[in-house]
């Protein structure tokens, strides 16, 4: 089933993403609070893109960090911000739906 999921999504980091999710990655939704409230990944936290640079302490001491949003654009920006501040363990999970699907599948 995982192979089908991997092939369904165009994000080329899904194998690494699945591994990180299975190992309790820090899941961060960088959409707005309104988008997050509407629907989100269970176990994720909301740190909107415009707050990432001011919330760096929340990202510390995690083995892996997965950032995601509606389309993958804001999460790519969040990944770049984190990398500029020395974080090397960040993955752009793409869309929140992609992360949710992979997380749900890994919990089965």
């Amino acid at each position: 089933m995982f192979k089908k999921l991997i092939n369904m999504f165009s994000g080329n980091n899904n194998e690494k993403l699945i591994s990180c999710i299975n190992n309790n990655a820090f899941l961060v939704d960088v959409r707005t609070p309104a988008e997050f409230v509407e629907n989100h990944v269970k176990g994720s936290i909301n740190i909107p893109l415009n707050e990432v640079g001011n919330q760096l302490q929340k990202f510390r001491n995690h083995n892996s960090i997965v950032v995601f949003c509606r389309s993958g654009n804001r999460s790519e920006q969040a990944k770049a911000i984190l990398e500029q501040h020395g974080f090397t363990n960040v993955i752009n999970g793409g869309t929140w739906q992609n992360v949710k699907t992979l997380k749900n599948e890994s919990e089965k």
Side-chain angles (χ1 to χ4, degrees), residues 25-63:
F26 184 49
L27 302 176
V28 182
D29 189 325
V30 298
R31 297 177 299 155
T32 66
E35 289 173 297
F36 184 80
V37 168
E38 188 175 303
N39 206 337
H40 60 274
V41 177
K42 179 181 170 188
S44 67
I45 70 161
N46 181 225
I47 302 175
L49 175 61
N50 65 338
E51 296 179 19
V52 168
N54 296 325
Q55 301 288 326
L56 296 174
Q57 71 280 3
K58 292 183 179 177
F59 293 91
R60 300 200 193 289
N61 301 316
H62 293 284
N63 289 331

Side-chain angles (χ1 to χ4, degrees):
M1 184 65 174
F2 275 131
K3 294 286 184 196
K4 285 185 181 179
L5 285 173
I6 290 168
N7 292 331
M8 283 174 51
F9 299 102
S10 60
N12 49 4
N13 283 331
N14 275 343
E15 288 184 30
K16 187 173 181 180
L17 179 57
I18 290 167
S19 176
C20 288
I21 289 171
N22 287 338
N23 290 302
N24 300 314
F26 184 49
L27 302 176
V28 182
D29 189 325
V30 298
R31 297 177 299 155
T32 66
E35 289 173 297
F36 184 80
V37 168
E38 188 175 303
N39 206 337
H40 60 274
V41 177
K42 179 181 170 188
S44 67
I45 70 161
N46 181 225
I47 302 175
L49 175 61
N50 65 338
E51 296 179 19
V52 168
N54 296 325
Q55 301 288 326
L56 296 174
Q57 71 280 3
K58 292 183 179 177
F59 293 91
R60 300 200 193 289
N61 301 316
H62 293 284
N63 289 331
S64 57
I65 301 165
V66 176
V67 291
F68 50 92
C69 61
R70 183 181 55 81
S71 68
N73 184 37
R74 285 177 281 181
S75 52
E76 188 60 33
Q77 293 175 57
K79 181 179 185 275
I81 291 167
L82 292 168
E83 288 175 341
Q84 289 170 359
H85 286 90
F87 292 89
T88 59
N89 56 343
V90 184
I91 296 173
N92 178 357
T95 69
W96 70 270
Q97 295 99 327
N98 182 42
V99 174
K100 183 175 183 175
T101 298
L102 297 174
K103 184 173 189 313
N104 289 345
E105 189 62 33
S106 73
E107 293 175 347
K108 288 183 179 177

